[in-house]
Amino acid sequence: MIISGFQKLTLVDYPEHMACLVFTQGCNFRCPFCHNKELIEGFDSKNEISEDEIFQYLDKRKGLIDGVCITGGEPLLQKDIALFMKCVKDKGYKIKLDTNGSKPEVLKKIIDAGLVDYVAMDIKNSFDGYGITSGIDNLDISNIKKSIEVLKNSNIDYEFRTTIVKELHNFDKIHEIISYLGSDVKYYLQNYRDCETVLVRGFHGFERKELLDIKNQLNKDYPNVKVRGI
């Protein structure tokens, strides 16, 4: 795999687990509000982190951390993602995967092989707003829908989440998303925060009260909607 970032400890990325965070290079989306633009463009191979470095760290941290979060970029673009995951699992660690849902066949393959324990799938917007939100015109929405069904029909733990941006989201769009996902899934609203590493500057997050109002309205019919980032 092409690994361009490594955080040795995270207490928030893998629910109920102490984990490390592995960032893969490259993404097939160009979400304008993405805060990891260095994982999309301007990659310098001099900054690549070897898999051996990750494995050596895991060997030293047995009993101290129990999980590995694989994020990006889009990890499922990596041709040897399954092999990397198997090596991590063989060392006794649980794996959490972050994905944009664009590779349903790969997602199903790694789930069926028992290589992942928890998946967090980003839902960028209501389906009619996916193009502008993902930065990809004519995006094949059917792949997103297939990935949703792969997770809902799986036997692993998972969540769906949306980073909400004032310029791109409103209550109706968020309601449309959760209506499609259903009332029995875990769904998180993550508030956008501006920073220097954003792909396109100038976007804004919601105020705390606005977020809680949206959540409270949704909770009348969808009790599993929660908010992060406030």
Side-chain angles (χ1 to χ4, degrees):
M1 292 206 309
I2 302 177
I3 301 171
S4 55
F6 180 45
Q7 183 177 323
K8 293 184 176 181
L9 180 64
T10 173
L11 303 178
V12 298
D13 289 276
Y14 193 160
E16 300 180 3
H17 291 280
M18 296 179 65
C20 64
L21 196 56
V22 175
F23 295 87
T24 64
Q25 183 67 33
C27 189
N28 53 347
F29 284 7
R30 293 294 182 272
C31 306
F33 55 89
C34 177
H35 62 275
N36 283 334
K37 69 177 181 181
E38 70 278 4
L39 300 178
I40 300 175
E41 55 186 26
F43 175 61
D44 187 344
S45 60
K46 295 179 181 178
N47 299 324
E48 185 174 349
I49 299 168
S50 71
E51 293 183 12
D52 284 343
E53 180 178 339
I54 306 296
F55 296 148
Q56 289 170 13
Y57 175 81
L58 294 178
D59 287 339
K60 295 177 181 178
R61 291 300 184 271
K62 286 183 178 178
L64 300 177
I65 64 172
D66 58 353
V68 177
C69 302
I70 304 176
T71 188
E74 173 49 51
L76 297 186
L77 295 177
Q78 303 292 325
K79 294 181 179 179
D80 51 355
I81 181 71
L83 179 58
F84 178 83
M85 286 180 157
K86 185 177 187 308
C87 291
V88 172
K89 292 291 287 183
D90 286 347
K91 292 180 181 296
Y93 288 91
K94 291 182 177 295
I95 294 178
K96 180 215 173 193
L97 171 74
D98 294 341
T99 182
N100 61 24
S102 63
K103 297 291 181 181
E105 293 82 6
V106 183
L107 179 62
K108 187 175 189 306
K109 179 180 177 181
I110 63 173
I111 291 175
D112 290 347
L115 297 177
V116 64
D117 301 281
Y118 192 102
V119 174
M121 178 176 163
D122 292 313
I123 306 295
K124 300 300 180 180
N125 209 330
S126 58
F127 294 135
D128 63 354
Y130 241 82
I132 188 171
T133 312
S134 67
I136 304 296
D137 293 332
N138 303 315
L139 181 71
D140 187 357
I141 296 298
S142 67
N143 282 335
I144 306 300
K145 293 180 177 180
K146 287 177 184 177
S147 288
I148 291 171
E149 294 309 308
V150 166
L151 289 177
K152 292 178 71 171
N153 292 320
S154 73
N155 59 357
I156 66 167
D157 203 1
Y158 64 89
E159 68 179 57
F160 298 106
R161 61 192 188 184
T162 300
T163 298
I164 57 174
V165 182
K166 270 225 169 174
E167 289 80 3
L168 299 172
H169 302 93
N170 55 37
F171 176 82
D172 289 339
K173 289 185 177 295
I174 297 168
H175 186 270
E176 188 174 336
I177 293 170
I178 189 59
S179 296
Y180 184 87
L181 295 177
S183 60
D184 57 340
V185 303
K186 288 187 290 187
Y187 179 57
Y188 292 89
L189 301 176
Q190 300 182 157
N191 200 24
Y192 169 79
R193 291 183 178 178
D194 193 29
C195 63
E196 293 183 358
T197 59
V198 171
L199 194 60
V200 177
R201 299 299 299 272
F203 290 102
H204 301 85
F206 285 74
E207 297 296 328
R208 175 185 173 87
K209 183 179 183 304
E210 293 174 316
L211 277 173
L212 293 178
D213 284 347
I214 292 172
K215 171 187 173 295
N216 291 337
Q217 290 185 65
L218 292 173
N219 281 159
K220 295 175 183 178
D221 298 307
Y222 304 98
N224 293 326
V225 177
K226 298 181 181 180
V227 173
R228 288 183 177 137
I230 59 172

